[in-house]
Amino acid sequence: MKFPEFINICEVGPRDGLQNEATILSVEDKVELIERAVDAGYKTIEIGSLVHPKAIPSLADTEEVFKRLKLHEDIEYRALVTNLRGVQRAVNAGVQKVKLTVSASESHNLSNFNRSTMETIDQFKACISFASENNIEVSAAISTAFGCPFEGSISIERIESVIEKLIELGVNEISLSDTTGMANPRDVYEKCNYMIIHYPEIKWNLHFHNTRDMGLANVLAAMNAGIVNFDAAFSGIGGCPYAPGATGNLCSEDLVHMCENMGIKTGVDIDKAIQLAKRVREMIGHSTESYMLRAGKSSDLIKEKPVRQINE
Ligand code: ZN
């Protein structure tokens, strides 16, 4: 197997993690979580969504959160948007990067945005030109790339038709998202391998949900194909409110722990990542799917050998 020396983890907890929580956190709490994530060493952070407040009420205060952050030059703060209005809001708030999202599955896209996949991408044209006029970077995410709860498996050809359109519009960073945790390592390896060979100019990112406990296995498969950018959420919280049965994101601290044990650098301090996950759990008020919170680091088990007392 091929392993990278370094991976970059985008902490998507403030967006994908909190969007599905029953408890709506205050602006202060969100700011605290994002600043703790920065302190732990995450260099890319998805701070929220700039979508209609009624669509995701828990993230309606994203601009306020961003305004209150102590910004660091080496951190990429990005927000999810779905239309031109979202990009305009990003410009007004000073957010430097937006992520446009579209679903590879027609049915999921209809349920999410009330329009077809290609109609959604057509709308991106205005978003991208407005963003570039205002020096905002754009990336794109393709949801349900590894399966859709309405349509089942999604072919490479279908994903490719979306990618080709995005490239035509000038997008050069694309995330493939396993929105409902339907991916398996073989499918991930084959799709990532194909994408890297056919679209080497694209910066690829993978976004897994750990719905069926295959998140880390899928990361390994993607790494083996040459992927080095991954999304994950603190404490393993999250899920798409528009996908039936969707559950938590791949857990950030579990990913950091696995990489650390494998000698793959992430730039993240595992102890701070675990403390952050604990703080998240406290704020949302329920247990989460984090193995680190359940079992601790494997190195915690290694204790010094007891010294044998020999009494002569
Ligand atoms: Zn997600």
Side-chain angles (χ1 to χ4, degrees):
M1 254 182 124
K2 214 170 66 183
F3 301 115
E5 279 182 28
F6 183 89
I7 64 160
N8 181 54
I9 301 173
C10 173
E11 176 50 74
V12 296
R15 198 276 302 171
D16 207 355
L18 296 179
Q19 73 179 7
N20 219 15
E21 283 298 326
T23 307
I24 299 187
L25 300 191
S26 66
V27 170
E28 289 71 25
D29 283 350
K30 290 174 184 170
V31 168
E32 180 191 329
L33 294 181
I34 294 169
E35 288 184 346
R36 276 175 178 256
V38 171
D39 184 51
Y42 295 102
K43 294 286 181 215
T44 313
I45 302 177
E46 207 157 288
I47 55 146
S49 288
L50 297 168
V51 299
H52 197 285
K54 277 191 188 146
I56 316 268
S58 52
L59 301 179
D61 53 10
T62 295
E63 283 121 321
E64 192 55 35
V65 170
F66 185 70
K67 278 179 196 160
R68 296 228 206 144
L69 289 173
K70 278 186 239 104
L71 298 180
H72 299 257
E73 253 184 32
D74 59 338
I75 307 292
E76 180 185 297
Y77 303 91
R78 69 182 192 203
L80 184 138
V81 299
T82 52
N83 55 27
L84 182 57
R85 178 81 194 102
V87 188
Q88 288 164 340
R89 285 170 62 192
V91 171
N92 292 338
V95 178
Q96 69 205 55
K97 185 156 186 173
V98 292
K99 182 167 95 174
L100 289 162
T101 181
V102 62
S103 188
S105 138
E106 201 70 57
S107 327
H108 183 258
N109 205 76
L110 280 168
S111 131
N112 239 352
F113 308 118
N114 252 330
R115 57 177 73 88
S116 76
T117 299
M118 288 308 156
E119 279 166 352
T120 301
I121 299 176
D122 284 342
Q123 273 209 332
F124 288 174
K125 203 172 181 178
C127 300
I128 291 166
S129 48
F130 187 77
S132 82
E133 282 160 23
N134 289 281
N135 295 319
I136 298 236
E137 275 187 79
V138 176
S139 68
I142 304 177
S143 310
T144 62
F146 299 96
C148 165
F150 311 113
E151 292 182 20
S153 61
I154 299 289
S155 67
I156 282 191
E157 292 71 32
R158 175 73 189 164
I159 301 170
E160 220 172 3
S161 66
V162 177
I163 292 167
E164 296 283 355
K165 280 268 176 195
L166 292 171
I167 291 176
E168 257 176 56
L169 296 178
V171 173
N172 57 17
E173 183 178 338
I174 300 176
S175 178
L176 297 178
S177 304
D178 181 25
T179 314
T180 51
M182 293 169 78
N184 67 71
R186 184 176 186 155
D187 190 30
V188 169
Y189 178 77
E190 288 174 358
K191 281 178 175 152
C192 292
N193 201 33
Y194 183 92
M195 297 311 163
I196 283 182
I197 290 170
H198 289 83
Y199 305 98
E201 72 280 21
I202 297 293
K203 180 181 175 186
W204 291 104
N205 180 83
L206 268 286
H207 177 104
F208 294 118
H209 283 257
N210 200 33
T211 322
R212 289 165 188 84
D213 211 8
M214 290 197 272
L216 289 176
N218 288 331
V219 167
L220 290 178
M223 279 180 183
N224 200 24
I227 302 289
V228 293
N229 300 296
F230 296 93
D231 288 352
F234 38 46
S235 224
I237 60 170
C240 171
Y242 300 101
T247 55
N249 284 78
L250 176 69
C251 173
S252 306
E253 60 276 13
D254 291 351
L255 175 58
V256 172
H257 177 259
M258 180 184 81
C259 288
E260 189 162 281
N261 279 262
M262 293 172 72
I264 299 169
K265 294 186 181 71
T266 60
V268 178
D269 179 316
I270 181 66
D271 294 310
K272 287 184 176 178
I274 293 172
Q275 288 310 315
L276 166 61
K278 279 188 185 157
R279 188 73 184 109
V280 171
R281 190 176 58 181
E282 256 170 46
M283 285 182 184
I284 59 176
H286 63 81
S287 65
T288 60
E289 295 299 317
S290 164
Y291 281 97
M292 285 300 99
L293 292 191
R294 206 177 303 158
K297 297 178 291 178
S298 51
S299 59
D300 292 344
L301 290 176
I302 306 163
K303 296 188 180 78
E304 276 182 46
K305 270 191 189 162
V307 183
R308 243 175 120 190
Q309 297 284 334
I310 300 170
N311 298 315
E312 284 182 273

